[in-house]
Amino acid sequence: MNTPHKLNERTLADAWAELQAYSEQGNPLQADAYRVAFADPEFLLRRETRGLRIQLEMLKPEIEQHAQGIENTVVVFGSARFPAPETAQESLALARKTGDAAALALAEQHLRNSRYYDQARRFARLVAAYSKSRPLREQLFICTGGGPGIMEAANRGAHEIGMPNVGLNIALPHEQSSNPYVSPSLSFKFHYFAMRKMHFMMRAKALVAFPGGFGTLDELFEALALVQTRKARPVPILLFGSDYWKRLIDFDLLIEEGVIAPEDLKLFTYVNEPQDAWDAIKTFYEL
């Protein structure tokens, strides 16, 4: 005779052990209606449970950051494609050896753009050096998208000063992982862009946008729209590299066409040096 199931036979510990075996050893998870719902990946990944997944992406970074005292951040946006100067130099030397004209042109472009990596790194060091000597409630923590390029540079600058820093990474079709300078306990991975952008804004006391592409523009204009419509409190929004931004976006045209008001230009400030960016933040908050 088969022994009937007992209601408490499958405990949370059993479910956790099963998930660990799946993760660490590749043991297959068979569909199981009796598995505890919140420990059932097949159930949680159903279309109907999307609302739960969105809520979890809201809660996990919120709870973890609060527990670690991360309440005030300086968010740094920018291209994932700008290498560190030392990496750019190595690529240029290799391209010169190969004699490949296309590779040489790309390496020279990367070397030019690597100055932004250096500037983002230096800016983050300024923020981190100030914060390191302040009480926790007054500290400003560098927060980025957690990827390479400008994001890596800013996390690296804070890491070098010995300050915790945040990375809000995103799962993309191509392989991407968090850069090595993000504090491990503050390295979060998102599926939903919307939740990731919400977390950028929730603790942001300033946003610094370095040159970048579609992702940077998306994040920048989300921030501008939220502040313009008073969905978010006013914070310093700094466009780093005035030549780049003025070439890319003709804000005067938006005024001429009546789609923004002249006073909307006060929502952001152009800066060209790490110290200027940090001074603008200090002035705003009278630090």
Side-chain angles (χ1 to χ4, degrees), residues 109-121:
Q109 181 188 69
H110 283 168
L111 183 61
R112 289 194 303 273
N113 288 332
S114 70
R115 72 185 188 275
Y116 292 120
Y117 182 107
D118 181 60
Q119 290 166 325
R121 180 181 175 185

Side-chain angles (χ1 to χ4, degrees), residues 108-258:
E108 290 173 342
Q109 181 188 69
H110 283 168
L111 183 61
R112 289 194 303 273
N113 288 332
S114 70
R115 72 185 188 275
Y116 292 120
Y117 182 107
D118 181 60
Q119 290 166 325
R121 180 181 175 185
R122 289 192 285 131
F123 167 73
R125 288 177 65 93
L126 291 170
V127 177
Y130 166 85
S131 297
K132 193 170 186 179
S133 62
R134 310 300 298 177
L136 180 60
R137 67 181 182 277
E138 298 177 14
Q139 290 179 353
L140 294 165
F141 298 92
I142 291 294
C143 175
T144 79
I150 294 298
M151 296 171 281
E152 176 186 292
N155 292 126
R156 182 177 179 179
H159 174 80
E160 289 168 340
I161 298 297
M163 280 293 291
N165 61 90
V166 183
L168 307 180
N169 212 288
I170 185 80
L172 297 174
H174 56 275
E175 188 65 28
Q176 177 172 301
S177 59
S178 181
N179 71 66
Y181 302 105
V182 177
S183 298
S185 64
L186 294 168
S187 181
F188 303 100
K189 186 175 184 179
F190 291 81
H191 175 76
Y192 297 103
F193 270 109
M195 297 312 303
R196 181 180 185 237
K197 288 191 288 185
M198 179 178 289
H199 276 286
F200 277 134
M201 293 299 298
M202 283 174 62
R203 289 172 164 78
K205 294 299 184 290
L207 300 106
V208 186
F210 281 77
F214 291 155
T216 302
L217 292 171
D218 175 42
E219 292 154 353
L220 170 63
F221 279 101
E222 173 108 357
L224 287 171
L226 287 172
V227 175
Q228 180 201 43
T229 57
R230 296 179 175 81
K231 292 291 186 179
R233 62 188 179 278
V235 297
I237 300 177
L238 309 176
L239 305 189
F240 197 105
S242 59
D243 288 346
Y244 179 88
W245 290 110
K246 289 179 180 179
R247 286 174 57 207
L248 179 65
I249 306 167
D250 187 350
F251 287 103
D252 290 333
L253 174 63
L254 300 181
I255 294 174
E256 291 171 10
E257 295 297 329

Side-chain angles (χ1 to χ4, degrees), residues 86-99 103-104 107-108 111:
E86 60 271 21
T87 303
Q89 288 284 3
E90 292 172 2
S91 298
L92 181 60
L94 181 60
R96 285 172 174 166
K97 287 181 180 179
T98 64
L104 181 59
E108 290 173 342
L111 183 61

Side-chain angles (χ1 to χ4, degrees), residues 42-55:
E42 289 186 342
F43 173 71
L44 290 177
L45 293 175
R46 290 173 63 98
R47 181 177 181 274
E48 296 89 342
T49 56
R50 179 180 295 162
L52 297 176
R53 297 195 299 274
I54 290 173
Q55 186 175 6

